[in-house]
Amino acid sequence: MATRWFGAPVQRLEDPRLLRGRGNYVDDIDLPEMLHAAVLRSTQARARIVSIDASAAWSLPGVHLVLTAQDLGEVLEPSPLLVPHAALTQPRTQLPLARDTVRYVGEAVALVVADDRYIAEDALDLIDVEYESFPVVHSLEVASITDGPLVHDDVPGNVAAHLAQTVGDPDSVFASAPHVLHETLLIDRGAAMPMECRGIVARWDAQDSMLTCWISTQGPLPIRNGLAAIFHLPEHKVRVVAPDVGGGFGTKIMMFYPEEVLIPFVAMQLGRPVKWIEDRREHFISANQERSQLHEVEYAFDDAGILLAVRDTFLHDTGAYAPYGIIVPIITACTLPGPYRLRHYSSEFTVLYTNKVPVSPYRGAGRPQAVFVMERIMDRIASELHLDRLEVRARNFISPGEFPWDVGLVYQDGGPTKYDSGDYLAGLDKLKVLLDYDTFPALQAQARSEGRYLGIGVGAYVEGTGIGPYEGALVRVESDGRVFVSTGVTTQGQAHITTFAQIVADQLGIAPDDVMVSTGDTQAFNWGVGTYASRAATVAGSAIHIAAVKVREKAKMVAADLFEAAPEDIELADGKVFVRDAPHRALTLGQVAISSNPLRYAYGENARTLMSMKLAGPRPGPALPEERGGPGLEASGFYSPPHGSFASGIHGAIIEVDPVTCNVTFVKYAAVHDCGRVINPMVVEGQVHGGVAQGIGGAFFERLVYDEEGQIINASFMDYLLPTAAEVPSLLVDHVETPSPLNPLGVKGAGEAGVIPVPALFASAIDNALAPFGIRIREMPLHPSRLYELLRDAKDKPAL
Amino acid sequence: MKPPRFRYCSPRILDEALVLLDQYGEEIKILAGGQSFVPLLNMRLAAPAYIVDINHISELHYFETEPDYLAIGAIARQRQVERSVLVQEKHPLLVEVIKHIGHMQIRNRGTVVGSIAHADPAAELPALLTCLDGEVLAQSMHGERVIKAKDFFAGYLSTTLEAGELLTEVRFPWLARQAGWSFIEFARRAGDYALVGAMAVLTPALDDTCMSANIAYFGVAGSPIRARAVEQVLIGTQLDAHTLDAAAGAARDVVGEDMQDVHATVEYRRELASELTRRVLKQAWARREQLEGAQ
Ligand SMILES: Cc1cc2nc3c(=O)[nH]c(=O)nc-3n(C[C@H](O)[C@H](O)[C@H](O)COP(=O)(O)OP(=O)(O)OC[C@H]3O[C@@H](n4cnc5c(N)ncnc54)[C@H](O)[C@@H]3O)c2cc1C
C-alpha cells in the first residue's frame, strides 16, 4: 500500500471555507415562507401540571400554532430507549412535550410557532402554566434517601439500574492483603457546551411527500429511520442532513430530543418550513449533561506498590430520564482498571434518577470519573509507601508482551473489554522527558524556598474507542478525476474531511484536495450509525479504505482492458493510471472513470482526449462485463470491528498554587498519546489540545450548580466558566504508535482522549503542590473558593 | 433570547435626547455601548417601551483634561481612553483599571460613562470613581447637577440618577504627583468580573509617612466600597509589617454578609479582600515618590 498521505500533517481541507465564514450551519439555512419556533420549558424541577392556558398566546398576532402534549396525538410517545440493557430494569425516557408531570427545569411543556422568533418568545410569556410543585430530588444524596421523594412515582428508590461485575476473586485478596484503604470520591456535573447550540430546520414538501430536516446532530441516519417510523413515511422520503456542526462532544448524539420530533411535526402540520434554534439559556437546561458520580472505593496493595485488588461501588446520576441507557456507568466500570494489571476487581453501580437534565455521554463519557478514581489510587499507594508516583505506575503497567489483555468485563458494545495493543511504559518515558520530570524536585524545592508552591501531577488512562456495530462508505470517481466519498458518520470539527481524503488519496494515487467528502446526509449515504465513541476514523475510516481499495482494483481492471495489459501491471499515481514501467501509456483517473461507464456519449475535455487516443476497443459481448460489477469507478465498503480498539495515553502537568487565593495556574502541560497509527499528526494534536482545554474546564472552571429547587444557578457563560486561551497553557504533545490489529488501517480513536486524564492529573498536581499541608483531593471539579476550604481544613488537621 | 418589542430613537443632539427622556420618564432606557444593556434586554430582564440610543450624539464624544480631573463624555469608548497617549501619561491608574474590563471587543463598544451608570458592584470603574472621590455630571431638561461618587452609587445596579436625567460626563480626579497606586483584582478568568478587587492610592508626607490613603474595593458588597477604616490604619505610618497586618485584618469587614455566590463564599471573599489589601498596599507604597528631604 502506498502511504504518501497517511501519516502526513495535511492541512485541514475544511478550514478555508469555515474560516472565511462560508460554513453552512443550521441557522444559516433560510427557506422561503419559513416560520420560527420557541419552546416553553418547565420552571419547576418536580411538579404536576395542573393546567395550561394558551389562549392569550394563540391570539397574539403572528402566532401560527401553540402545541401542548394533548395536540400531539400518536406522536406523544416516549423517546426510544437507545441502548437497552438487562440491568436497566426501570428505563424511562422523555415525551416530546410533558403531559401531566415535569421532572426537570427545562423539560419541554409547549411549543409556539410564529412569524419570527421574537413573536414566538412573546407568545411564550403569555402561556400560563399552573404547577403543583413537590420536593425535589436535587442530588444523589436525596435520590438515595429511603422513602424520599421520587422522580418517577413508579420507580422505587429512584433506582433505574443496578449492575455488579466481578473479575478474579477480590474478596479473598482483600482478606490477606498487606495494605487496604478506603476512600470516597466525588465527581460533579458538567456539560459539553458546543459553540453551536442545537438547531433544526424542517421542510415538508407535500408535492413530493418528502420530509427534509437539517439538524445539528451527530447521528442523522438513526434520526431519519426514527422519523420515518414516527410519521409513517418510507425511509427514502425522509432526508436528514447534518450540515456544518459547530461541535457536538456527545451532546448531539442523543436522540430524540423533543424538538427533533416536534419541529418536523409542526412543519408537516402547517405545510411551511419551520426553524428552531436553541439559545444558550435553553441549552443549559435542555441539552444533556454528564459526569456526576459518587464512588466508594476500596483497594488493596502490597509493599512493592503492586495493586492487588479494587472494589468500587458507585452511584451514577442519570438525571430525570435514561435515554442512553447505562452506557456511561458501564464505560466507567470498564475504564477504571486502566493501563494496570488488575486481576481482582469488583465493580458495582446503581443508576439513580434525579430531577435534573438527563444524562448521556459527553466527551470522555464516564472515563474521566474512572480515571480520577484509579489515578487517585495510584498516587495514594505512592504516598503511603513513599515511592515515586511514576514508578508505582510503571510497576503496575501491563507490559507490551501481554496483549491482547482481557480486562474481564463486558464493554459498552456488548463485546469484551479486551486491549488490542499498547506500550504504556514507552508513553511514560516520553512524558518524563517532556516534563523534565527528574529535575522537577529541585525546581519545586527552589520555589518553596521563595514561598511558591509548585506541583507536578500525572494521569494515565486507557480508552475504549472505535466500537461497532459498523459504518460504511461509498467511493466514486467522477469524470473530471475527482473522487466523491460519502459516509453515514458526521463531522463536528474533527477534520474528517481531511483524514478521510488522505485515506482515499493513497489508494487512488491522487491528492487529498481531489477528494470530496460528504458526511451526514442520509440522501448521500444510506447506511451507518453516527459519530460518537471516538469511532469515526476507526470504523468509517476503515470502511472508506475498503471501498477505495475496491475502486482501485476496478480502475486497474478497466485500464488493463484499454491498454491490453494485465491488471496487476497497472499502477495509480499522481492522478494517472498507467502501465508499470511505461508511464507514457497513461490515462487520467477521470478518463478511466469515463471508460468504465459505457454511455453512447461522454462530455468534457477528458472525454474528448479519450476519443483521440489509440486505445483498445470494447471487447465483444455485453458493454458492461459481468466481472466489473456495474458501471463507473464506484464501490461501497463496510467495516464492522470485532470489538473496540483501546487507545491510551499519559498526561502530566506542572502547576503553581497560590496558597492564599488558592488560584491555580499551569506552568507546563505535556500529553503523550497512543491512537495506533496516526493518519494526520496535526489533526490528532488538535484533538488532544481541544480535549485538554475541555478537561481543564471540567477540572477547575466549569461546574453546573443546581440549587435545592433543582434550578441551575449559573446557567450562563457569565457564571459557567469555559476556559479561554488565556487559561489553557500551551501544550507539548508526543505520540506512541502501537498499531491496532483489529482494523485494516491500524488506527484507534483519538477524539475523546484529551479530556480524560485531566481531573486526575489536576488532583495529583494539587496534592503534590500543597503536600506540606497534607492535602488530599477527593472531588472534582474544584474552584478556588472550594480549594480554599479544603486547604483550610487540611491546615486544621494533623497531616495524613 | 430575543427582546420584547420596543421603540427605538436615535437623536443626533443632546437636547433631543433630553426631551425624549423627559417625555417618557420611567418607560425609556438609554443605550450606550450596549455591553451590559443588550444582554439584559435579550434575556428579558429589561423591557423598556422606548430606547434612546445616544451613540450618535457627537457632542458627548470626548475626553478632556481639566485642572482637577479628567472629564470623559458619555460616548467615549473604554478602549479609546485606554489607548490615549495623553491618558496613559496623565492617569496611568485609570488605564490600568480599564485594561481589566472584559475583553478588547467589549471595551471597543463599552463606554466609560455606561459602566458608571450601570453601577455593577463588581465593576472596576465605579470602584475607581469611589476610590478617587470623583464625580459625575447629570443633565436633564430642567438643568444639570454634579454628583459625588459617594452620593451616586445606591446599591446593586442602582444609582441616584433620576428619571429624565442623562449622565453626560464622568470626572476622574488626578493623582498627586508623589502618590503611589496599585490596582489588583482576583477574577476567575482573564476578562471576568472580579470576585474581589482592590485599589489603593497612597500619598506620602514630607517625612515619608502615609499622609493620605484612598482605598476601595469591588465585588464585596452591593456597591463599590471606600474603606475608611483601612485607610485610618495607615495614616501616619510607614506601612511596616504590623500596619499591613492590621490593614489586612480590617479589610475583612468590607465584605458584606450576603456576598455568597457560585464562585465564592463570604469567608473566601474576606480572605481575598485581606490578601489583596496587603498586595495593593505594598505595591502602592513601593511606587510612591519620596519627597525632597525624606530619607
Ligand atoms: C463578555 C463581557 C465581559 C464584561 N466584563 C466586564 C468587566 O470585567 N468589568 C466591567 O466593569 N464590565 C464588564 N462588562 C460590561 C462592560 O464594561 C459594559 O460596557 C459597561 O458595563 C456598560 O457600558 P456600555 O457603554 O456598554 O453601557 P450599556 O450597556 O449601553 O448601558 C448600561 C446601563 O447603563 C445605562 N446608561 C448607559 N449610558 C448612560 C448614560 N449616559 N446615562 C444614563 N444611563 C446610562 C443604560 O441605560 C443601561 O442601563 C462586560 C461585558 C461583557 C459583554
Side-chain angles (χ1 to χ4, degrees):
Chain A
M1 184 175 99
T3 54
R4 241 181 81 213
W5 297 107
F6 193 108
V10 175
Q11 297 231 325
R12 286 165 41 107
L13 301 175
E14 43 272 83
D15 281 350
R17 194 171 59 81
L18 296 176
L19 294 177
R20 288 188 177 107
R22 305 235 172 90
N24 184 37
Y25 298 87
V26 172
D27 202 16
D28 294 321
I29 294 164
D30 275 313
L31 303 174
E33 298 279 284
M34 192 168 74
L35 299 171
H36 297 260
V39 178
L40 183 73
R41 301 188 181 280
S42 172
T43 56
Q44 305 298 309
R46 182 165 170 250
R48 189 173 69 84
I49 299 174
V50 178
S51 64
I52 303 181
D53 179 359
S55 52
W58 267 111
S59 53
L60 186 73
V63 169
H64 292 253
L65 193 64
V66 183
L67 278 187
T68 58
Q70 70 194 35
D71 306 313
L72 292 179
E74 60 162 11
V75 171
L76 191 67
E77 274 289 312
S79 183
L81 178 64
L82 293 174
V83 215
H85 191 287
L88 178 59
T89 48
Q90 299 285 4
R92 295 292 180 277
T93 57
Q94 189 178 340
L95 292 169
L97 290 173
R99 189 175 23 214
D100 39 34
T101 309
V102 288
R103 298 189 175 86
Y104 63 94
V105 174
E107 183 158 6
V109 171
L111 181 95
V112 171
V113 184
D115 284 337
D116 59 45
R117 174 77 182 221
Y118 295 82
I119 298 174
E121 290 192 20
D122 290 346
L124 294 186
D125 284 349
L126 298 174
I127 301 176
D128 194 9
V129 185
E130 192 190 326
Y131 294 104
E132 183 192 354
S133 298
F134 303 111
V136 173
V137 183
H138 61 85
S139 64
L140 283 170
E141 209 180 354
V142 177
S144 19
I145 295 174
T146 324
D147 298 328
L150 296 179
V151 178
H152 299 272
D153 290 342
D154 56 349
V155 178
N158 294 308
V159 176
H162 179 260
L163 182 65
Q165 299 193 77
T166 301
V167 184
D169 184 5
D171 291 348
S172 53
V173 176
F174 272 105
S176 62
H179 307 272
V180 174
L181 288 174
H182 174 272
E183 282 184 282
T184 306
L185 300 167
L186 170 77
I187 297 95
D188 212 344
R189 273 204 182 215
M193 293 298 147
M195 207 185 294
E196 182 202 23
C197 293
R198 299 182 296 124
I200 304 169
V201 170
R203 175 179 66 194
W204 171 246
D205 181 341
Q207 217 148 19
D208 229 13
S209 303
M210 175 96 192
L211 174 67
T212 307
C213 300
W214 291 264
I215 307 182
S216 186
T217 177
Q218 296 171 233
L221 278 160
I223 292 183
R224 189 274 317 266
N225 299 346
L227 290 178
I230 290 170
F231 297 115
H232 308 294
L233 292 166
E235 284 177 4
H236 76 280
K237 287 293 186 186
V238 181
R239 179 185 183 193
V240 176
V241 184
D244 285 321
V245 174
F249 311 112
T251 319
K252 295 179 184 171
I253 190 64
M254 159 71 187
M255 67 172 270
F256 286 95
Y257 277 114
E259 300 83 1
E260 290 165 352
V261 175
L262 296 173
I263 302 304
F265 179 79
V266 293
M268 291 172 81
Q269 191 159 346
L270 294 168
R272 286 175 67 173
V274 178
K275 176 188 274 188
W276 169 76
I277 299 295
E278 182 188 53
D279 66 32
R280 186 62 63 183
R281 211 158 39 149
E282 293 182 276
H283 187 82
F284 269 101
I285 56 171
S286 70
N288 290 2
Q289 306 168 349
E290 211 221 283
R291 302 284 199 248
S292 190
Q293 290 182 353
L294 179 66
H295 288 253
E296 294 288 343
V297 67
E298 209 177 352
Y299 45 103
F301 53 99
D302 68 14
D303 294 331
I306 302 298
L307 180 64
L308 302 174
V310 173
R311 222 186 254 141
D312 181 47
T313 307
F314 69 96
L315 301 179
H316 171 82
D317 163 17
T318 190
Y321 301 96
Y324 230 81
I326 53 172
I327 286 291
V328 173
I330 289 178
I331 296 176
T332 303
C334 292
T335 303
L336 192 135
Y340 308 112
R341 199 184 289 109
L342 178 61
R343 298 192 196 277
H344 303 280
Y345 169 42
S346 80
S347 163
E348 183 178 345
F349 64 75
T350 307
V351 177
L352 296 177
Y353 288 114
T354 58
N355 290 118
K356 294 185 176 182
V357 175
V359 164
S360 64
Y362 149 39
R363 194 183 203 174
R367 297 179 188 87
Q369 298 94 315
V371 171
F372 181 66
V373 174
M374 182 49 111
E375 293 299 281
R376 292 281 67 203
I377 295 176
M378 285 293 150
D379 279 359
R380 186 69 186 273
I381 294 176
S383 73
E384 290 293 317
L385 302 176
H386 305 288
L387 291 170
D388 174 70
R389 288 173 290 165
L390 286 185
E391 175 59 28
V392 169
R393 286 169 171 84
R395 288 183 192 177
N396 283 285
F397 277 159
I398 298 159
S399 59
E402 294 175 277
F403 293 95
W405 173 269
D406 197 335
V407 172
L409 299 172
V410 179
Y411 199 52
Q412 58 156 319
D413 54 357
T417 304
K418 195 159 141 193
Y419 301 171
D420 43 337
S421 61
D423 187 347
Y424 307 138
L425 199 56
L428 183 143
D429 287 339
K430 287 193 173 198
L431 183 76
K432 276 187 168 178
V433 174
L434 291 180
L435 282 179
D436 251 332
Y437 188 77
D438 294 331
T439 63
F440 178 73
L443 191 69
Q444 187 177 43
Q446 169 67 29
R448 273 190 201 156
S449 70
E450 297 160 10
R452 293 167 51 223
Y453 290 80
L454 296 184
I456 197 165
V458 292
Y461 65 93
V462 171
E463 178 199 0
T465 72
I467 55 168
Y470 80 94
E471 287 298 338
L474 175 92
V475 173
R476 176 167 67 224
V477 183
E478 302 207 346
S479 320
D480 64 3
R482 291 191 294 171
V483 177
F484 173 70
V485 177
S486 63
T487 167
V489 299
T490 58
T491 191
Q492 306 92 42
Q494 304 94 326
H496 294 123
I497 307 298
T498 310
T499 49
F500 291 166
Q502 286 176 260
I503 292 170
V504 172
D506 277 344
Q507 294 311 317
L508 300 184
I510 54 175
D513 305 22
D514 287 328
V515 183
M516 305 167 289
V517 178
S518 156
T519 60
D521 179 348
T522 61
Q523 226 68 345
F525 197 76
N526 191 56
W527 305 102
V529 193
T531 297
Y532 57 94
S534 302
R535 67 192 289 279
T538 312
V539 188
S542 294
I544 288 167
H545 170 79
I546 290 166
V549 169
K550 287 188 195 166
V551 170
R552 183 189 66 202
E553 293 312 311
K554 190 163 179 191
K556 284 183 173 178
M557 201 189 299
V558 173
D561 278 354
L562 295 170
F563 293 133
E564 294 174 286
E568 12 346 325
D569 291 334
I570 303 295
E571 281 195 10
L572 283 75
D574 300 330
K576 297 269 182 356
V577 184
F578 54 92
V579 181
R580 183 176 311 127
D581 303 330
H584 56 284
R585 299 189 64 197
L587 291 167
T588 63
L589 190 59
Q591 287 165 339
V592 178
I594 291 169
S595 309
S596 70
N597 181 16
L599 294 171
R600 292 203 291 172
Y601 306 103
Y603 302 91
E605 168 98 33
N606 256 340
R608 277 195 297 280
T609 357
L610 199 57
M611 299 287 273
S612 67
M613 292 170 74
K614 292 197 188 64
L615 296 163
R619 283 190 284 164
L624 259 184
E626 184 81 37
E627 68 272 17
R628 291 203 188 161
L633 294 185
E634 174 180 299
S636 316
F638 291 89
Y639 176 71
S640 178
H643 58 81
S645 51
F646 285 78
S648 64
I650 183 163
H651 293 197
I654 297 174
I655 59 162
E656 177 164 356
V657 185
D658 180 325
V660 184
T661 65
C662 290
N663 199 24
V664 182
T665 44
F666 282 87
V667 177
K668 194 171 196 177
Y669 194 109
V672 182
H673 180 250
D674 180 359
C675 59
R677 295 189 63 209
V678 172
I679 303 172
N680 183 329
M682 201 170 67
V683 166
V684 171
E685 278 169 34
Q687 289 296 301
V688 173
H689 286 192
V692 169
Q694 213 158 18
I696 289 175
F700 197 52
F701 292 96
E702 301 179 42
R703 206 163 57 95
L704 281 169
V705 187
Y706 283 79
D707 69 10
E708 300 199 342
E709 303 300 315
Q711 305 280 352
I712 302 177
I713 55 175
N714 62 338
S716 92
F717 281 164
M718 214 167 132
D719 288 318
Y720 184 88
L721 309 176
L722 294 175
T724 72
E727 285 74 46
V728 178
S730 60
L731 310 176
L732 303 167
V733 181
D734 202 351
H735 307 271
V736 172
E737 290 192 58
T738 59
S740 171
L742 300 179
N743 62 67
L745 299 172
V747 300
K748 302 173 179 179
E752 294 168 272
V755 82
I756 295 172
V758 187
L761 78 83
F762 194 62
S764 174
I766 289 179
D767 278 4
N768 183 245
L770 300 177
F773 306 105
I775 202 168
R776 166 87 173 158
I777 301 298
R778 295 196 174 87
E779 63 186 60
M780 276 289 149
L782 287 176
H783 56 116
S785 184
R786 180 63 188 147
L787 186 54
Y788 167 79
E789 289 172 350
L790 295 174
L791 185 58
R792 179 199 61 198
D793 295 348
K795 284 175 180 167
D796 289 350
K797 259 201 320 251
L800 276 175
Chain B
M1 269 203 243
K2 302 282 186 227
R5 209 168 271 274
F6 55 81
R7 280 182 195 279
Y8 170 84
C9 334
S10 177
R12 308 273 143 171
I13 53 171
L14 178 59
D15 285 347
E16 205 184 329
L18 296 181
V19 169
L20 287 166
L21 287 172
D22 195 57
Q23 196 171 346
Y24 297 115
E26 303 281 359
E27 282 180 284
I28 196 163
K29 281 292 278 180
I30 294 156
L31 172 70
Q35 298 305 296
S36 295
F37 181 51
V38 173
L40 290 176
L41 201 60
N42 284 346
M43 290 196 268
R44 296 187 176 227
L45 297 172
Y50 298 87
I51 287 178
V52 56
D53 177 351
I54 59 170
N55 283 284
H56 303 285
I57 305 176
S58 46
E59 63 199 280
L60 295 177
H61 196 184
Y62 64 86
F63 47 96
E64 283 165 5
T65 58
E66 297 291 338
D68 295 334
Y69 54 82
L70 177 73
I72 300 177
I75 57 166
R77 309 290 159 185
Q78 293 157 4
R79 183 91 175 136
Q80 288 171 325
V81 178
E82 171 191 349
R83 295 189 61 180
S84 151
V85 177
L86 177 98
V87 181
Q88 285 167 7
E89 194 184 307
K90 302 194 72 169
H91 212 313
L93 172 56
L94 174 60
V95 173
E96 176 72 12
V97 166
I98 293 180
K99 283 194 168 127
H100 285 82
I101 300 176
H103 310 271
M104 194 228 298
Q105 292 86 339
I106 308 297
R107 302 195 296 271
N108 277 339
R109 288 296 300 168
T111 63
V112 171
V113 172
S115 172
I116 300 293
H118 191 55
D120 191 310
E124 290 82 358
L125 286 170
L128 178 64
L129 200 70
T130 304
C131 180
L132 299 181
D133 262 337
E135 54 196 32
V136 298
L137 180 65
Q139 282 181 264
S140 75
M141 279 282 284
H142 312 288
E144 62 173 56
R145 58 187 182 123
V146 175
I147 313 169
K148 282 275 183 199
K150 67 173 166 42
D151 303 322
F152 184 69
F153 299 109
Y156 184 73
L157 301 188
S158 42
T159 66
T160 54
L161 208 64
E162 278 161 20
E165 278 183 322
L166 179 73
L167 211 53
T168 50
E169 185 179 289
V170 53
R171 298 167 177 174
F172 290 101
W174 305 116
L175 272 51
R177 189 176 52 84
Q178 72 273 30
W181 58 266
S182 173
F183 169 92
I184 301 179
E185 69 174 38
F186 184 80
R188 288 301 327 270
R189 299 172 302 182
D192 277 345
Y193 278 103
L195 297 191
V196 174
M199 61 188 87
V201 178
L202 303 178
T203 313
L206 272 176
D207 64 355
D208 203 35
T209 58
C210 182
M211 181 171 72
S212 78
N214 294 47
I215 308 202
Y217 299 86
F218 52 108
V220 297
S223 291
I225 297 286
R226 176 90 187 265
R228 307 274 177 191
V230 180
E231 293 171 1
Q232 281 314 313
V233 172
L234 307 172
I235 305 297
T237 75
Q238 288 195 310
L239 278 82
D240 52 295
H242 175 74
T243 307
L244 286 178
D245 285 347
R252 291 180 179 273
D253 296 341
V254 301
V255 178
E257 287 294 343
D258 57 347
M259 290 305 291
Q260 167 107 26
D261 59 24
V262 292
H263 305 297
T265 58
V266 173
E267 181 189 337
Y268 177 63
R269 277 206 163 81
R270 294 205 158 126
E271 187 70 21
L272 286 179
S274 167
E275 179 65 15
L276 294 188
T277 300
R278 217 179 268 284
R279 293 180 190 182
V280 291
L281 291 181
K282 275 191 199 160
Q283 188 176 45
W285 191 243
R287 280 179 178 166
R288 78 195 184 281
E289 202 173 291
Q290 294 188 28
L291 294 174
E292 209 84 19
Q295 61 289 75

